[in-house]
Amino acid sequence: MSNIEKVPGPKADSPAPSTENVDPEKRKREYKDFGHEQEGPSKALVDMDTIELKAEDLYDKEKVDLETIVIDDVFKLLQCDDSGLSQEEAVRRIELFGPNKLEVEEQNAFLQFLSFMWNPLSWVMEAAAAVAIILSNGQGTPPDWPDFVGIVLLLFINSSIGFYEERNAGNAVKALMDSLAPKAKVKRAGSWSEIESSNLVPGDMISFKIGDIVPADCRLTEAINVSIDQAALTGESLPQSKKDGDQCFSGSTCKQGEAEGVVISTGPNTFFGRAASLVGQDDDTTGHLQKILAQIGSFCLVTIGIFVLAEIFVLYAGFRFQYRRGLNNILVLLIGGIPIAMPTVLSVTLAVGAQQLAKYKAIVTRITAIEELAGVTILCSDKTGTLTTNKLTIDRNTIQTYGPFSAEDVILLAAYASRTENQDAIDASVVAALGDAARARAGIKLLDFKPFNPVDKRTEITYREEATGKLKRVTKGMTGIIIELCSRNKTDEIENKLEKDVEEYAARGLRALAVAYEELEGDDFEAEGNGFELIGLLAIYDPPREDTKQTIDDAVALGVRVKMVTGDQLAIAKETGRRLGLGDHMYPAKVLKDGPAPGSKHASLDEMIMDADGFAGVFPEHKYEIVKRLQGLGHLCAMTGDGANDAPALSRANVGIAVEGATDAARGAADIVLTEPGLSTIVHAIRQSRVIFQRMRNYSIYACAVTIRIVVCFAILAFAYKLDFPPFMILIIALLNDGTIMTLSVDRVLPSMTPDSWDLAEIFSYAVAYGIYLTGSTIALVCIILQTTFFQDKFGVTLDTSPAQANDPQLHMIIYLQVAIISQALIFVTRSHGFFFMERPSTALLVAFCIAQAISSIIAGFADWGFTNIKSVSGGWIGIVWVWNLLWFAPLDWIKFAMKATVIKAIRERREAKTAQAAAGGIPITRTQSRAASIHESLYSNRVSFIKRAARKVGFGQKISMKPEELQRFSSIQAQRVGATLARNPSRTAA
């Protein structure tokens, strides 16, 4: 809730409002849900002389409740005084109570490295290694050490690259997070200093003032007109006045006054820490990307499995192969068909993307959220501080005047009646409207100033005008109070005009501030004046950020609909929506409970939520419900938030975004943390995430196509010619492929202008088409070499065997070179939407491709490796293979276009028809349900969860956790539980 609708608290030098006459029942109802409803201080139920200073005793509420006992007992129990602790004692207490922050488990680098070998694709490669070293040992042959070493090397290279990139991304995130470390003003050994708030301990004396964040739970020892905003923790909408002895929560904000207090609890023992303990950091739920990775992996594994079984039956049952000979053919399919680099390529792509987003001041705390952000269709944005500046401003275009004064005169006189130091938000906005704050006191001599107080609801200044020497008085405040003072021009006409203007302001969500003026006779500044005269009405509002309108337009152009979700009044939300071009079709939060009104145009609440431009007067439970319903309608939803109570909604959203200045709880629940204010960073992140998505999609098509190409090709060659291709050469192809494909993480691609989504039917269709075509290119070449002497006759090349034999080592080398070149060249087709030469690849990809092909050609020309049954070929054969591949490469783009015009078009039309049918029938189209998991998909999620559990059982380290950027901040069960709790205990002023 913004300051626009808040009643300002007392000024710094006015008495704090009394709480003596508050109905105790009312107070009890107001606070009963938050655990601090005690009616007065109590005594500690322990012997002060025997209690020990340790966490077990201090935080055991059966013994003592530091939140409610008398302040003197607090000092006795904490063994401290108002001069503060000594530095030595503070160090000792850090060891006793721990640092004043929520503990984050250190990541075990070794387990992170192993995690890249813990997924089904890697398991198949590991099984292949086992086959090479164990099952190959028979029939008088030794274990297949070359293949074993090659497979292990391939696994380690992939893991090392992924590990390096993720550590880099993690370090970049950590550096940004460290820069957000809060500070605290603390008194140690009688002198004040500023330290990091994480170093506070129970018993420390702290100080804070207007604008500061309370660094730890404390009891106030001195409070001068203190008003604390603790909405982010308790949901209480208005700032709460605090007096000596009251408790202040860690993470709340001082809105007015200044205070000193004694720290009573730190870190996880604070109110905030206890709430944040809901965060689940050992959760096996699966993100959207892992679900896709599982399906792509399954496609590859099923394809390989079918052909491996076929080879077992054909080679052993049909051809009567010996045990050892058949194994090599199976190894070829296992090694060549598995896209072993897939988890690494995707991890590297995401890690590089996280580093790129960090340049836009966006910290990615769950790395797979980048992929989900690319598919976001609806962004639910908070208003205050995100769409707006969170800084009250005078709207000069709507100032009303009621006398011989101009709008500028009204602003100047209102500034006279404002404080120039220790200002509240309204005084600051009035003085800022002058442009030069010095004008608020220029040309006048201040004689008397009455600050705002909750009873009078106005400020007043009496001053002498230096130019004329006249005494004058100006007051500003609530319209109803000011008009009653205006004896000089309070006519029915003026009152009617004022009432009309105020209503017009209210309808537009503007807060009215009336200004009146009178002159005094003589030199007595305390004398009565000649009567106040109403001179003007100022409109105060929280203005949109300068870049917000353009940002929203950009988001809409990208196919993302922005909905405002704010705690402010409906009129304020509508006015902000109008100014931003967002629309003013908004509803109060109560419709989420009551549903659409009978006879309205909306048949259901879901339809109303989809139609709305935003919601006003919302509380955390409403945000959670909105996100949940939008997801149920098939949308990927992003949500912004800043408070601890926003955590359930941030967690529920596909992409939770903690805005600049958010609490630690919101940051913990969010997937992306912004360190700069405004919405523009989010749009930058959406664009960047779509670039990353395109890279991953291009790779996925390529990886699946290569699987089809290797498996089908070598199975057919084995069936047709009993070809025994050496597995080691497939390893070389895989190694060179992986080295090239890694550069896709920095490839040049254009982001799509609509939300991205994984259409696996399209990916698999492209992959099958490309794979079968490339299979044809190899089989055709082998058939010509084995069935004819065309190349020998035309180009004068020869093979060791004549006529050519299927298992000629030189033929194996020719097949190796042909497969290696055209398989890698396929990436230039899959990465482009049009002709491959129309979209320039990155320099890194181009250079990597050229190096890989040079290595392949050198191997073909010079490698005579007897251990793997290959032999070098002449330059003539190398030239023939290159020309052959160029001829077969040219039509690949036309295959892509043909697929788009036929199969892909049919798939899309079928999907659109299904979507339209479901929408017409009112059936939700579920594209994603938050971060749901299945047993199968979870194999790809917490890659180290199994290793972690095993390591804990054997005592390998006490603090082992998977990398923070993939941790689920709240498990779905916990998020639902928190959402339900909020629904049962709504904030006290809920609409």
Side-chain angles (χ1 to χ4, degrees), residues 301-342:
L301 291 174
V302 168
T303 303
I304 294 167
I306 290 171
F307 282 90
V308 165
L309 288 175
E311 280 204 346
I312 290 172
F313 282 110
V314 173
L315 300 184
Y316 289 116
F319 297 160
R320 304 295 180 180
F321 271 21
Q322 288 187 331
Y323 163 72
R324 181 68 174 79
R325 182 181 178 187
L327 277 183
N328 279 348
N329 288 279
I330 292 171
L331 276 176
V332 167
L333 301 195
L334 291 178
I335 298 169
I338 288 296
I340 181 61
M342 179 178 283

mmCIF file of all heavy atoms in Angstrom, residues 301-342:
data_model
loop_
_atom_site.group_PDB
_atom_site.id
_atom_site.type_symbol
_atom_site.label_atom_id
_atom_site.label_comp_id
_atom_site.label_asym_id
_atom_site.label_seq_id
_atom_site.Cartn_x
_atom_site.Cartn_y
_atom_site.Cartn_z
ATOM 1 N N LEU A 301 16.556 -42.074 -25.662
ATOM 2 C CA LEU A 301 16.764 -43.382 -25.036
ATOM 3 C C LEU A 301 15.880 -44.446 -25.675
ATOM 4 O O LEU A 301 16.313 -45.582 -25.894
ATOM 5 C CB LEU A 301 16.489 -43.296 -23.542
ATOM 6 C CG LEU A 301 17.487 -42.472 -22.722
ATOM 7 C CD1 LEU A 301 17.019 -42.350 -21.275
ATOM 8 C CD2 LEU A 301 18.870 -43.097 -22.767
ATOM 9 N N VAL A 302 14.623 -44.092 -25.982
ATOM 10 C CA VAL A 302 13.714 -45.067 -26.607
ATOM 11 C C VAL A 302 14.216 -45.419 -28.001
ATOM 12 O O VAL A 302 14.217 -46.598 -28.404
ATOM 13 C CB VAL A 302 12.278 -44.489 -26.664
ATOM 14 C CG1 VAL A 302 11.394 -45.353 -27.557
ATOM 15 C CG2 VAL A 302 11.682 -44.413 -25.264
ATOM 16 N N THR A 303 14.662 -44.386 -28.747
ATOM 17 C CA THR A 303 15.192 -44.645 -30.094
ATOM 18 C C THR A 303 16.376 -45.601 -30.028
ATOM 19 O O THR A 303 16.458 -46.585 -30.782
ATOM 20 C CB THR A 303 15.623 -43.318 -30.754
ATOM 21 O OG1 THR A 303 14.519 -42.431 -30.795
ATOM 22 C CG2 THR A 303 16.148 -43.558 -32.155
ATOM 23 N N ILE A 304 17.304 -45.308 -29.119
ATOM 24 C CA ILE A 304 18.483 -46.173 -28.970
ATOM 25 C C ILE A 304 18.069 -47.567 -28.527
ATOM 26 O O ILE A 304 18.551 -48.579 -29.051
ATOM 27 C CB ILE A 304 19.469 -45.557 -27.957
ATOM 28 C CG1 ILE A 304 20.041 -44.251 -28.504
ATOM 29 C CG2 ILE A 304 20.600 -46.519 -27.634
ATOM 30 C CD1 ILE A 304 20.767 -43.420 -27.462
ATOM 31 N N GLY A 305 17.157 -47.634 -27.555
ATOM 32 C CA GLY A 305 16.722 -48.925 -27.027
ATOM 33 C C GLY A 305 16.124 -49.822 -28.104
ATOM 34 O O GLY A 305 16.403 -51.034 -28.156
ATOM 35 N N ILE A 306 15.315 -49.221 -28.991
ATOM 36 C CA ILE A 306 14.684 -50.015 -30.051
ATOM 37 C C ILE A 306 15.746 -50.637 -30.958
ATOM 38 O O ILE A 306 15.701 -51.836 -31.283
ATOM 39 C CB ILE A 306 13.716 -49.129 -30.873
ATOM 40 C CG1 ILE A 306 12.497 -48.759 -30.014
ATOM 41 C CG2 ILE A 306 13.295 -49.824 -32.157
ATOM 42 C CD1 ILE A 306 11.594 -47.720 -30.654
ATOM 43 N N PHE A 307 16.724 -49.826 -31.362
ATOM 44 C CA PHE A 307 17.727 -50.327 -32.304
ATOM 45 C C PHE A 307 18.757 -51.231 -31.629
ATOM 46 O O PHE A 307 19.311 -52.122 -32.267
ATOM 47 C CB PHE A 307 18.394 -49.161 -33.034
ATOM 48 C CG PHE A 307 17.530 -48.598 -34.133
ATOM 49 C CD1 PHE A 307 16.632 -47.576 -33.876
ATOM 50 C CD2 PHE A 307 17.591 -49.123 -35.420
ATOM 51 C CE1 PHE A 307 15.818 -47.073 -34.884
ATOM 52 C CE2 PHE A 307 16.784 -48.630 -36.432
ATOM 53 C CZ PHE A 307 15.888 -47.600 -36.168
ATOM 54 N N VAL A 308 19.027 -51.012 -30.351
ATOM 55 C CA VAL A 308 19.910 -51.932 -29.631
ATOM 56 C C VAL A 308 19.267 -53.316 -29.558
ATOM 57 O O VAL A 308 19.922 -54.348 -29.808
ATOM 58 C CB VAL A 308 20.235 -51.397 -28.218
ATOM 59 C CG1 VAL A 308 20.829 -52.501 -27.347
ATOM 60 C CG2 VAL A 308 21.208 -50.222 -28.302
ATOM 61 N N LEU A 309 17.983 -53.359 -29.236
ATOM 62 C CA LEU A 309 17.275 -54.648 -29.201
ATOM 63 C C LEU A 309 17.268 -55.291 -30.573
ATOM 64 O O LEU A 309 17.459 -56.512 -30.717
ATOM 65 C CB LEU A 309 15.839 -54.444 -28.695
ATOM 66 C CG LEU A 309 15.686 -54.134 -27.207
ATOM 67 C CD1 LEU A 309 14.230 -53.825 -26.875
ATOM 68 C CD2 LEU A 309 16.177 -55.317 -26.360
ATOM 69 N N ALA A 310 17.037 -54.446 -31.611
ATOM 70 C CA ALA A 310 17.035 -54.993 -32.978
ATOM 71 C C ALA A 310 18.393 -55.591 -33.318
ATOM 72 O O ALA A 310 18.475 -56.678 -33.932
ATOM 73 C CB ALA A 310 16.676 -53.878 -33.969
ATOM 74 N N GLU A 311 19.481 -54.902 -32.923
ATOM 75 C CA GLU A 311 20.819 -55.436 -33.209
ATOM 76 C C GLU A 311 21.069 -56.737 -32.456
ATOM 77 O O GLU A 311 21.681 -57.663 -32.994
ATOM 78 C CB GLU A 311 21.882 -54.394 -32.836
ATOM 79 C CG GLU A 311 22.055 -53.308 -33.886
ATOM 80 C CD GLU A 311 23.420 -52.651 -33.813
ATOM 81 O OE1 GLU A 311 24.125 -52.848 -32.801
ATOM 82 O OE2 GLU A 311 23.785 -51.957 -34.774
ATOM 83 N N ILE A 312 20.623 -56.802 -31.217
ATOM 84 C CA ILE A 312 20.820 -58.031 -30.440
ATOM 85 C C ILE A 312 20.173 -59.218 -31.148
ATOM 86 O O ILE A 312 20.771 -60.292 -31.300
ATOM 87 C CB ILE A 312 20.261 -57.863 -29.010
ATOM 88 C CG1 ILE A 312 21.145 -56.886 -28.211
ATOM 89 C CG2 ILE A 312 20.173 -59.205 -28.305
ATOM 90 C CD1 ILE A 312 20.568 -56.519 -26.858
ATOM 91 N N PHE A 313 18.936 -59.016 -31.627
ATOM 92 C CA PHE A 313 18.231 -60.115 -32.300
ATOM 93 C C PHE A 313 18.859 -60.439 -33.659
ATOM 94 O O PHE A 313 19.103 -61.600 -33.991
ATOM 95 C CB PHE A 313 16.751 -59.764 -32.479
ATOM 96 C CG PHE A 313 15.948 -59.924 -31.229
ATOM 97 C CD1 PHE A 313 15.449 -58.814 -30.549
ATOM 98 C CD2 PHE A 313 15.694 -61.192 -30.692
ATOM 99 C CE1 PHE A 313 14.719 -58.951 -29.389
ATOM 100 C CE2 PHE A 313 14.959 -61.339 -29.526
ATOM 101 C CZ PHE A 313 14.470 -60.212 -28.869
ATOM 102 N N VAL A 314 19.157 -59.379 -34.435
ATOM 103 C CA VAL A 314 19.665 -59.618 -35.797
ATOM 104 C C VAL A 314 21.096 -60.138 -35.774
ATOM 105 O O VAL A 314 21.421 -61.126 -36.449
ATOM 106 C CB VAL A 314 19.575 -58.326 -36.640
ATOM 107 C CG1 VAL A 314 20.265 -58.523 -37.999
ATOM 108 C CG2 VAL A 314 18.126 -57.929 -36.860
ATOM 109 N N LEU A 315 21.969 -59.476 -34.991
ATOM 110 C CA LEU A 315 23.380 -59.848 -35.027
ATOM 111 C C LEU A 315 23.652 -61.186 -34.358
ATOM 112 O O LEU A 315 24.467 -61.984 -34.847
ATOM 113 C CB LEU A 315 24.232 -58.758 -34.365
ATOM 114 C CG LEU A 315 24.150 -57.349 -34.993
ATOM 115 C CD1 LEU A 315 25.121 -56.407 -34.292
ATOM 116 C CD2 LEU A 315 24.437 -57.400 -36.479
ATOM 117 N N TYR A 316 22.999 -61.429 -33.216
ATOM 118 C CA TYR A 316 23.269 -62.678 -32.499
ATOM 119 C C TYR A 316 22.380 -63.825 -32.982
ATOM 120 O O TYR A 316 22.872 -64.918 -33.281
ATOM 121 C CB TYR A 316 23.106 -62.462 -31.002
ATOM 122 C CG TYR A 316 24.207 -61.621 -30.388
ATOM 123 C CD1 TYR A 316 23.940 -60.383 -29.814
ATOM 124 C CD2 TYR A 316 25.522 -62.066 -30.396
ATOM 125 C CE1 TYR A 316 24.950 -59.602 -29.259
ATOM 126 C CE2 TYR A 316 26.540 -61.302 -29.851
ATOM 127 C CZ TYR A 316 26.247 -60.066 -29.282
ATOM 128 O OH TYR A 316 27.261 -59.315 -28.747
ATOM 129 N N ALA A 317 21.091 -63.557 -33.067
ATOM 130 C CA ALA A 317 20.174 -64.631 -33.470
ATOM 131 C C ALA A 317 20.238 -64.868 -34.977
ATOM 132 O O ALA A 317 20.193 -66.018 -35.441
ATOM 133 C CB ALA A 317 18.748 -64.283 -33.058
ATOM 134 N N GLY A 318 20.346 -63.769 -35.733
ATOM 135 C CA GLY A 318 20.332 -63.911 -37.186
ATOM 136 C C GLY A 318 21.692 -64.213 -37.781
ATOM 137 O O GLY A 318 21.875 -65.218 -38.485
ATOM 138 N N PHE A 319 22.676 -63.367 -37.489
ATOM 139 C CA PHE A 319 24.005 -63.516 -38.092
ATOM 140 C C PHE A 319 24.943 -64.419 -37.281
ATOM 141 O O PHE A 319 26.054 -64.714 -37.728
ATOM 142 C CB PHE A 319 24.673 -62.145 -38.251
ATOM 143 C CG PHE A 319 23.943 -61.213 -39.185
ATOM 144 C CD1 PHE A 319 24.168 -59.839 -39.119
ATOM 145 C CD2 PHE A 319 23.047 -61.698 -40.131
ATOM 146 C CE1 PHE A 319 23.512 -58.969 -39.977
ATOM 147 C CE2 PHE A 319 22.394 -60.832 -40.997
ATOM 148 C CZ PHE A 319 22.618 -59.466 -40.921
ATOM 149 N N ARG A 320 24.508 -64.822 -36.110
ATOM 150 C CA ARG A 320 25.324 -65.683 -35.255
ATOM 151 C C ARG A 320 26.680 -65.057 -34.927
ATOM 152 O O ARG A 320 27.716 -65.726 -34.935
ATOM 153 C CB ARG A 320 25.541 -67.067 -35.916
ATOM 154 C CG ARG A 320 24.285 -67.791 -36.272
ATOM 155 C CD ARG A 320 23.480 -68.158 -35.043
ATOM 156 N NE ARG A 320 22.256 -68.860 -35.389
ATOM 157 C CZ ARG A 320 21.373 -69.292 -34.498
ATOM 158 N NH1 ARG A 320 21.595 -69.069 -33.203
ATOM 159 N NH2 ARG A 320 20.275 -69.920 -34.888
ATOM 160 N N PHE A 321 26.655 -63.750 -34.664
ATOM 161 C CA PHE A 321 27.898 -63.069 -34.296
ATOM 162 C C PHE A 321 28.430 -63.648 -32.987
ATOM 163 O O PHE A 321 27.678 -64.097 -32.132
ATOM 164 C CB PHE A 321 27.643 -61.572 -34.083
ATOM 165 C CG PHE A 321 27.792 -60.744 -35.329
ATOM 166 C CD1 PHE A 321 27.711 -61.311 -36.588
ATOM 167 C CD2 PHE A 321 28.026 -59.377 -35.242
ATOM 168 C CE1 PHE A 321 27.830 -60.550 -37.729
ATOM 169 C CE2 PHE A 321 28.162 -58.597 -36.366
ATOM 170 C CZ PHE A 321 28.067 -59.188 -37.626
ATOM 171 N N GLN A 322 29.760 -63.591 -32.872
ATOM 172 C CA GLN A 322 30.347 -63.955 -31.593
ATOM 173 C C GLN A 322 30.029 -62.864 -30.568
ATOM 174 O O GLN A 322 29.783 -61.702 -30.909
ATOM 175 C CB GLN A 322 31.865 -64.107 -31.742
ATOM 176 C CG GLN A 322 32.294 -65.352 -32.502
ATOM 177 C CD GLN A 322 33.787 -65.530 -32.459
ATOM 178 O OE1 GLN A 322 34.537 -64.582 -32.357
ATOM 179 N NE2 GLN A 322 34.221 -66.801 -32.513
ATOM 180 N N TYR A 323 30.061 -63.291 -29.325
ATOM 181 C CA TYR A 323 29.715 -62.384 -28.212
ATOM 182 C C TYR A 323 30.475 -61.053 -28.293
ATOM 183 O O TYR A 323 29.904 -59.966 -28.240
ATOM 184 C CB TYR A 323 30.008 -63.109 -26.895
ATOM 185 C CG TYR A 323 30.112 -62.235 -25.674
ATOM 186 C CD1 TYR A 323 28.980 -61.635 -25.130
ATOM 187 C CD2 TYR A 323 31.352 -62.031 -25.049
ATOM 188 C CE1 TYR A 323 29.086 -60.844 -24.011
ATOM 189 C CE2 TYR A 323 31.464 -61.239 -23.928
ATOM 190 C CZ TYR A 323 30.316 -60.645 -23.405
ATOM 191 O OH TYR A 323 30.421 -59.853 -22.286
ATOM 192 N N ARG A 324 31.800 -61.125 -28.503
ATOM 193 C CA ARG A 324 32.642 -59.924 -28.463
ATOM 194 C C ARG A 324 32.374 -59.012 -29.655
ATOM 195 O O ARG A 324 32.347 -57.793 -29.524
ATOM 196 C CB ARG A 324 34.117 -60.357 -28.423
ATOM 197 C CG ARG A 324 35.111 -59.214 -28.351
ATOM 198 C CD ARG A 324 35.002 -58.510 -27.011
ATOM 199 N NE ARG A 324 36.039 -57.497 -26.855
ATOM 200 C CZ ARG A 324 35.999 -56.281 -27.409
ATOM 201 N NH1 ARG A 324 34.984 -55.955 -28.165
ATOM 202 N NH2 ARG A 324 36.978 -55.425 -27.190
ATOM 203 N N ARG A 325 32.152 -59.579 -30.830
ATOM 204 C CA ARG A 325 31.955 -58.768 -32.038
ATOM 205 C C ARG A 325 30.672 -57.957 -31.962
ATOM 206 O O ARG A 325 30.630 -56.786 -32.339
ATOM 207 C CB ARG A 325 31.942 -59.678 -33.273
ATOM 208 C CG ARG A 325 31.794 -58.896 -34.576
ATOM 209 C CD ARG A 325 31.755 -59.817 -35.780
ATOM 210 N NE ARG A 325 31.556 -59.059 -37.008
ATOM 211 C CZ ARG A 325 31.347 -59.594 -38.202
ATOM 212 N NH1 ARG A 325 31.318 -60.930 -38.332
ATOM 213 N NH2 ARG A 325 31.171 -58.835 -39.268
ATOM 214 N N GLY A 326 29.628 -58.546 -31.458
ATOM 215 C CA GLY A 326 28.344 -57.824 -31.378
ATOM 216 C C GLY A 326 28.380 -56.646 -30.408
ATOM 217 O O GLY A 326 27.680 -55.654 -30.585
ATOM 218 N N LEU A 327 29.230 -56.770 -29.362
ATOM 219 C CA LEU A 327 29.297 -55.696 -28.368
ATOM 220 C C LEU A 327 29.752 -54.381 -28.973
ATOM 221 O O LEU A 327 29.271 -53.309 -28.608
ATOM 222 C CB LEU A 327 30.244 -56.090 -27.231
ATOM 223 C CG LEU A 327 29.669 -56.959 -26.115
ATOM 224 C CD1 LEU A 327 30.721 -57.188 -25.041
ATOM 225 C CD2 LEU A 327 28.426 -56.326 -25.513
ATOM 226 N N ASN A 328 30.697 -54.433 -29.898
ATOM 227 C CA ASN A 328 31.190 -53.214 -30.519
ATOM 228 C C ASN A 328 30.078 -52.470 -31.263
ATOM 229 O O ASN A 328 29.985 -51.243 -31.219
ATOM 230 C CB ASN A 328 32.339 -53.531 -31.487
ATOM 231 C CG ASN A 328 33.656 -53.700 -30.758
ATOM 232 O OD1 ASN A 328 33.775 -53.379 -29.582
ATOM 233 N ND2 ASN A 328 34.655 -54.232 -31.457
ATOM 234 N N ASN A 329 29.227 -53.220 -31.941
ATOM 235 C CA ASN A 329 28.110 -52.591 -32.653
ATOM 236 C C ASN A 329 27.127 -51.933 -31.686
ATOM 237 O O ASN A 329 26.605 -50.845 -31.939
ATOM 238 C CB ASN A 329 27.387 -53.639 -33.512
ATOM 239 C CG ASN A 329 28.194 -54.055 -34.715
ATOM 240 O OD1 ASN A 329 28.216 -53.376 -35.735
ATOM 241 N ND2 ASN A 329 28.883 -55.186 -34.595
ATOM 242 N N ILE A 330 26.900 -52.584 -30.565
ATOM 243 C CA ILE A 330 25.998 -52.012 -29.555
ATOM 244 C C ILE A 330 26.618 -50.762 -28.940
ATOM 245 O O ILE A 330 25.942 -49.757 -28.704
ATOM 246 C CB ILE A 330 25.671 -53.078 -28.481
ATOM 247 C CG1 ILE A 330 24.812 -54.184 -29.103
ATOM 248 C CG2 ILE A 330 24.966 -52.442 -27.290
ATOM 249 C CD1 ILE A 330 24.599 -55.389 -28.212
ATOM 250 N N LEU A 331 27.944 -50.823 -28.692
ATOM 251 C CA LEU A 331 28.630 -49.648 -28.145
ATOM 252 C C LEU A 331 28.535 -48.456 -29.079
ATOM 253 O O LEU A 331 28.401 -47.312 -28.638
ATOM 254 C CB LEU A 331 30.106 -49.980 -27.876
ATOM 255 C CG LEU A 331 30.441 -50.665 -26.549
ATOM 256 C CD1 LEU A 331 31.919 -51.006 -26.487
ATOM 257 C CD2 LEU A 331 30.056 -49.773 -25.368
ATOM 258 N N VAL A 332 28.597 -48.700 -30.387
ATOM 259 C CA VAL A 332 28.470 -47.604 -31.355
ATOM 260 C C VAL A 332 27.139 -46.885 -31.170
ATOM 261 O O VAL A 332 27.078 -45.651 -31.161
ATOM 262 C CB VAL A 332 28.607 -48.143 -32.799
ATOM 263 C CG1 VAL A 332 28.150 -47.088 -33.810
ATOM 264 C CG2 VAL A 332 30.040 -48.544 -33.077
ATOM 265 N N LEU A 333 26.068 -47.656 -31.006
ATOM 266 C CA LEU A 333 24.748 -47.037 -30.832
ATOM 267 C C LEU A 333 24.654 -46.296 -29.502
ATOM 268 O O LEU A 333 24.095 -45.197 -29.427
ATOM 269 C CB LEU A 333 23.644 -48.100 -30.906
ATOM 270 C CG LEU A 333 23.550 -48.929 -32.193
ATOM 271 C CD1 LEU A 333 22.201 -49.654 -32.236
ATOM 272 C CD2 LEU A 333 23.699 -48.065 -33.430
ATOM 273 N N LEU A 334 25.194 -46.907 -28.449
ATOM 274 C CA LEU A 334 25.109 -46.275 -27.127
ATOM 275 C C LEU A 334 25.909 -44.973 -27.082
ATOM 276 O O LEU A 334 25.424 -43.947 -26.606
ATOM 277 C CB LEU A 334 25.632 -47.227 -26.049
ATOM 278 C CG LEU A 334 24.788 -48.483 -25.754
ATOM 279 C CD1 LEU A 334 25.477 -49.338 -24.697
ATOM 280 C CD2 LEU A 334 23.391 -48.099 -25.292
ATOM 281 N N ILE A 335 27.130 -45.021 -27.600
ATOM 282 C CA ILE A 335 27.995 -43.838 -27.517
ATOM 283 C C ILE A 335 27.541 -42.764 -28.496
ATOM 284 O O ILE A 335 27.458 -41.582 -28.156
ATOM 285 C CB ILE A 335 29.466 -44.233 -27.799
ATOM 286 C CG1 ILE A 335 29.971 -45.222 -26.746
ATOM 287 C CG2 ILE A 335 30.356 -42.988 -27.830
ATOM 288 C CD1 ILE A 335 31.308 -45.858 -27.098
ATOM 289 N N GLY A 336 27.237 -43.165 -29.716
ATOM 290 C CA GLY A 336 26.890 -42.187 -30.744
ATOM 291 C C GLY A 336 25.486 -41.642 -30.611
ATOM 292 O O GLY A 336 25.212 -40.495 -30.998
ATOM 293 N N GLY A 337 24.586 -42.438 -30.076
ATOM 294 C CA GLY A 337 23.193 -41.997 -30.007
ATOM 295 C C GLY A 337 22.876 -41.112 -28.826
ATOM 296 O O GLY A 337 21.972 -40.279 -28.889
ATOM 297 N N ILE A 338 23.612 -41.275 -27.722
ATOM 298 C CA ILE A 338 23.306 -40.501 -26.521
ATOM 299 C C ILE A 338 23.807 -39.062 -26.689
ATOM 300 O O ILE A 338 25.001 -38.846 -26.918
ATOM 301 C CB ILE A 338 23.976 -41.134 -25.278
ATOM 302 C CG1 ILE A 338 23.271 -42.427 -24.910
ATOM 303 C CG2 ILE A 338 23.914 -40.171 -24.092
ATOM 304 C CD1 ILE A 338 21.848 -42.263 -24.485
ATOM 305 N N PRO A 339 22.925 -38.070 -26.575
ATOM 306 C CA PRO A 339 23.396 -36.667 -26.584
ATOM 307 C C PRO A 339 23.994 -36.330 -25.215
ATOM 308 O O PRO A 339 23.405 -35.621 -24.407
ATOM 309 C CB PRO A 339 22.116 -35.868 -26.859
ATOM 310 C CG PRO A 339 21.006 -36.720 -26.341
ATOM 311 C CD PRO A 339 21.460 -38.149 -26.500
ATOM 312 N N ILE A 340 25.178 -36.902 -24.983
ATOM 313 C CA ILE A 340 25.784 -36.823 -23.654
ATOM 314 C C ILE A 340 26.006 -35.381 -23.220
ATOM 315 O O ILE A 340 25.992 -35.054 -22.042
ATOM 316 C CB ILE A 340 27.130 -37.614 -23.635
ATOM 317 C CG1 ILE A 340 27.781 -37.573 -22.262
ATOM 318 C CG2 ILE A 340 28.069 -37.087 -24.684
ATOM 319 C CD1 ILE A 340 26.956 -38.189 -21.173
ATOM 320 N N ALA A 341 26.190 -34.513 -24.199
ATOM 321 C CA ALA A 341 26.476 -33.117 -23.853
ATOM 322 C C ALA A 341 25.218 -32.327 -23.521
ATOM 323 O O ALA A 341 25.316 -31.165 -23.108
ATOM 324 C CB ALA A 341 27.219 -32.433 -24.999
ATOM 325 N N MET A 342 24.028 -32.930 -23.685
ATOM 326 C CA MET A 342 22.804 -32.144 -23.529
ATOM 327 C C MET A 342 22.687 -31.451 -22.171
ATOM 328 O O MET A 342 22.505 -30.222 -22.114
ATOM 329 C CB MET A 342 21.568 -33.002 -23.786
ATOM 330 C CG MET A 342 20.260 -32.228 -23.615
ATOM 331 S SD MET A 342 18.825 -33.226 -23.970
ATOM 332 C CE MET A 342 18.875 -33.233 -25.746
#
